[in-house]
Every structure is written in C-alpha cells, then in structure tokens.
Amino acid sequence: MAMRLGLSLPQMRQYDIGRDVPDVARAAEQTGYESLWVFERILFPEPATQGLYGIPGLPWPDHYRSVADPLVTLTLAAAATERARLGTSVLVAPLHLPFQLARALASLDAASGGRVVAGLGTGWSLDEYRAAAVAPFAQRGKVLDELIDVCRTVWGPDPVAYKGSLTTIAPSVVGPKPKRPIPILLPATSPRARRRLVDKADGWMPVGMGAEALATQWEQLRELAAERGRKEPVQSVLRVNTRHTGTAYTGPDRSPFQGSVEQIAEDLFAHAEVGLEEILIDLQGDARDAEELKDLAAEVYAAARAAGV
C-alpha cells in the first residue's frame, strides 16, 4: 500500500486566503492528497528576541510576516472538501486556552464529518509567548499536559468536569462532540516529550531531518512505548519542509527536500523507507501564488508516486 501523502494549505501573505485556501484544498483532494495541513505563527517580531527555532543568529523567514489563523484556514478547507483529513502541524498549545481550543476542534470535527487531526506542540518563540501565552515559557510542558487532558475530557461523555491549573469546568454538558475520537499527535523531540507522547498522545509528528536520523528516533520511540507498556500503535505523520529550486542540488551541505521535483521525490522515498504512515509536504513557501502552488503540488505528487512513495 502506498504511503499517505498530505499537503500544507496556503497561509502566507502571497495568497488570498478566502479564495486560495478552498481552491488549493479542492485541487489537492482531486490530485490524490489524503490530508490537508496548517501551521501556527502569530507574529513577526522586529527585532526578534531570539533566532528562528531558538537558534541564535538564524533569521526569521520573510514569509512569516503574515500567516493566516490555522483553524480559520482549516474551516475554509473543510467546507471545500469531502474526504481529506484536516490536520494542524502544529498548534502551539500554550497560546490557547485549553477549554476553548478543545471546543473549537470538536466543532470542526463535527462539521467536517470526523476528519480532524490535532497536532500539538509547545512552541519556541519567546516573543509569541510574551504576546499571547496563557502561562510562562518555563511552564509550557505543563500547559500541554493540561490541554491534552482537557481535550480528552471535553470530547468525552457528558457531564464534563475538570479541575486544573488553568481550567476549571463545573459538571456541564459540552457540545458538539467530535464525530470520532480526534487523534492527538506530538513532535516529541526530547526524552520528556517522548514519554508524554507514549503515555498521553496518539501519534508522532517529526520534522524531516534525514532518513537515518529519523529511523533512529522512530526505533527509540517504539522501544520506549514497549518499555512503558503501551498497547496502542503509535500513529505517525512526517512533516517535510521543502525548498523547490527547479534544478538538482547535490552539494555536500544539501538539506533533505531541496532541489528539483525529482530530487524532492527521491528524498521523500528515502524517508518513506523508514516505515512511517504518512508524509505531510509543505510547498507553499516557494510558490508565488495559488496557481503555481497547485501545479507544484501536482508535480511533486506524481513524482513521489512514480518513485514508489
């Protein structure tokens, strides 16, 4: 069986969100993509307190200057499609009040017929935390834990009741409920985060880092799941951030998923061999507009399938 392929929706400033999101979503579903994805970036600090991903000196990319709200984007895509799963990769948990986010995801799942996948993370931007977080950066792991617990509670049977550091729910009826249990996926890049994933989440959402490193981490995660007595299989979606240059790029410092369509497909194949279930392909950054994004997405899909992905 071929690996599932997903596509990131257009959220950046070169796109007309109201027009282009439904257009790209429909085209992606018709092409064969089985899922549609959004990410979260709420501001562009000038000057930035820290480098991109917390790496000193690494500049923020210009396309982060305007990123559409992820749940609004998914709602537009949900209304324009019928089958594709609708995922977040990822929502920065501490930027959201747990109860409100749980209700929003449940409503979207109910409206879309049970197609939502909740990718959640803790984020890295101190500037975003200062602007919008519900708790300090040092408490980000605790916020994510509570958010997961609140989601499970709100999505479960009524009456709903919960008492936590951020959230208190008196016994209540809370609806609508999701059409089915919404899968929760986590990036889980540290030992503590991997334990959280094994104990509390449904699956893993790594970022493409090279096939060898990915295989090592996947094996370590499965070993940890066995050690902690997990019975359910760990779901998996690999996120790949591409850079389409239009030509082959084979320099010694080449990152995965950079170069021509054919080379991107080769890198996808190498990562697919690791054995994860799905690959989410983000192509929106290099495209000038929605028409170019649709064309590139169709080319990459065809090349990946031809390569055996």
Side-chain angles (χ1 to χ4, degrees), residues 254-275:
R254 185 180 70 84
S255 300
F257 319 112
Q258 177 174 280
S260 65
V261 166
E262 292 74 20
Q263 188 152 31
I264 290 171
E266 290 178 10
D267 289 334
L268 290 171
F269 178 80
H271 285 69
E273 289 283 274
V274 172

Side-chain angles (χ1 to χ4, degrees), residues 22 48 106 169 192 209 236 305:
I169 310 172
R192 180 179 294 181
M209 63 193 79
S236 54
R305 292 310 191 201

Side-chain angles (χ1 to χ4, degrees), residues 1-87:
M1 180 181 296
M3 170 172 275
R4 297 197 304 264
L5 294 178
L7 181 71
S8 277
L9 291 166
Q11 293 174 263
M12 299 174 182
R13 64 177 181 172
Q14 69 265 45
Y15 302 106
D16 181 315
I17 303 303
R19 179 192 67 205
D20 292 344
V21 170
D23 186 27
V24 171
R26 280 189 294 265
E29 189 175 71
Q30 292 167 2
T31 295
Y33 285 99
E34 296 178 73
S35 55
L36 302 166
W37 297 84
V38 291
F39 76 107
E40 185 161 47
R41 191 90 288 131
I42 65 168
L43 51 73
F44 188 97
E46 290 186 319
T49 301
Q50 59 186 154
L52 184 67
Y53 310 133
I55 300 172
L58 186 63
W60 287 47
D62 194 61
H63 53 244
Y64 279 1
R65 289 182 179 277
S66 177
V67 176
D69 179 85
L71 294 186
V72 171
T73 304
L74 279 189
T75 301
L76 290 168
T81 56
E82 298 178 355
R83 302 176 304 278
R85 292 155 68 237
L86 306 164

